[in-house]
Amino acid sequence: MKFFLDTASLKDISWATQSGLIDGITTNPSLLSKQAGDLDPRDVLKEICSLVEGPVSAEVIAVDADAMVKEGQELAKIAENIVVKIPMLEEGMIAVRRLASAGIRTNVTLCFSSVQCLIAAKAGASYVSPFIGRIDDVGQEGMDVIRETRAIYDNYAIATEILAASIRHPRHVVEAAMIGADVATLPPDVLKKLMLHPLTDRGLEQFLSDWRTLGAPAKGGARV
Ligand code: G3P
């Protein structure tokens, strides 16, 4: 399973790239506006693209097809690894088709049903982003959308990648991985939580405290 980091924070991105755990980045207008402040968001995207080799999703703001295509083409000029994020809208699907024909990869965002994911794939999306956590928030089972979409894509050998988004906790990651989502995009705090287990902490504490009961030479390392 690929992990993308769902953030525009340069600090979090450079931490994650050092661990080699991250295969790409997803941003959205909310995340970019938080990071950009007074800066031009395009400069922030450029910086992100230079830190990460994999795909970096950048979202259009326009909602009509012509403007989305224009904006998508501009975003794609920022760097080769830009993937244009397009909202699941009738006009959006026209934009996806046009951008795909021009060789520009797209990620269809704000998907909340498996049939929306099927539509996005038929329009030519490279990635589709079902928002698991937000579906859970309204009392439905977000993971069902991943499960149904996986089955549909497998039935028809659809190559669009399922990018599980709006991930809120490690259990979402486990379930999406068991179903076979291609990618999970993780907020930095969720990525960090994936490494935690209380038994790891307790075990390490025990090892270190046992080691401290040894004589002074052991603490320094070399015994002669
Ligand atoms: O980037 C889209 C997405 O992952 C949003 O997550 O937590 O705002 O629902 P959230």
Side-chain angles (χ1 to χ4, degrees):
M1 178 183 236
K2 285 179 264 188
F3 285 164
F4 290 177
L5 207 59
D6 197 26
T7 188
S9 157
L10 298 172
K11 188 166 159 257
D12 288 330
I13 292 170
S14 47
W15 164 76
T17 51
Q18 286 175 60
S19 64
L21 289 170
I22 290 305
D23 305 293
I25 301 289
T26 51
T27 67
N28 60 38
S30 312
L31 294 171
L32 259 180
S33 63
K34 219 190 289 172
Q35 171 70 28
D38 294 338
L39 304 171
D40 181 343
R42 292 172 54 90
D43 291 336
V44 177
L45 284 167
K46 202 173 191 167
E47 178 81 27
I48 295 173
C49 290
S50 71
L51 291 171
V52 179
E53 275 180 32
V56 175
S57 287
E59 189 159 342
V60 299
I61 305 302
V63 287
D64 71 277
D66 288 341
M68 278 191 257
V69 171
K70 198 162 172 267
E71 216 183 313
Q73 285 165 335
E74 287 306 312
L75 287 169
K77 283 182 198 158
I78 294 175
E80 273 185 5
N81 50 342
I82 286 278
V83 171
V84 179
K85 229 171 164 184
I86 302 278
M88 167 44 74
L89 296 170
E90 276 185 41
E91 290 283 306
M93 296 310 95
I94 299 171
V96 167
R97 173 57 60 198
R98 287 201 208 146
L99 290 166
S101 309
I104 295 173
R105 292 180 296 167
T106 57
N107 170 1
V108 174
T109 188
L110 290 167
C111 291
F112 295 92
S113 75
S114 53
V115 83
Q116 288 181 317
C117 296
L118 175 59
I119 291 291
K122 286 185 72 70
S126 305
Y127 299 91
V128 67
S129 292
F131 276 28
I132 308 312
R134 293 193 195 185
I135 299 172
D136 290 354
D137 288 346
V138 296
Q140 291 168 5
E141 186 53 65
M143 213 46 74
D144 285 349
V145 177
I146 303 285
R147 193 171 294 106
E148 289 173 13
T149 305
R150 180 73 282 156
I152 293 167
Y153 283 12
D154 288 351
N155 282 348
Y156 298 101
I158 289 171
T160 302
E161 294 192 47
I162 301 171
L163 196 168
S166 187
I167 295 268
R168 301 279 170 76
H169 49 72
R171 198 62 212 163
H172 274 154
V173 181
V174 173
E175 287 175 23
M178 285 171 64
I179 293 166
D182 300 283
V183 190
T185 189
L186 314 172
D189 69 308
V190 175
L191 176 64
K192 289 178 184 174
K193 280 183 190 159
L194 297 185
M195 297 168 218
L196 301 179
H197 197 288
L199 292 179
T200 305
D201 297 341
R202 206 190 299 169
L204 182 62
E205 211 173 283
Q206 183 71 53
F207 287 156
L208 295 179
S209 110
D210 289 346
W211 191 251
R212 278 194 294 269
T213 63
L214 287 173
K219 287 182 189 156
R223 277 172 196 259
V224 277

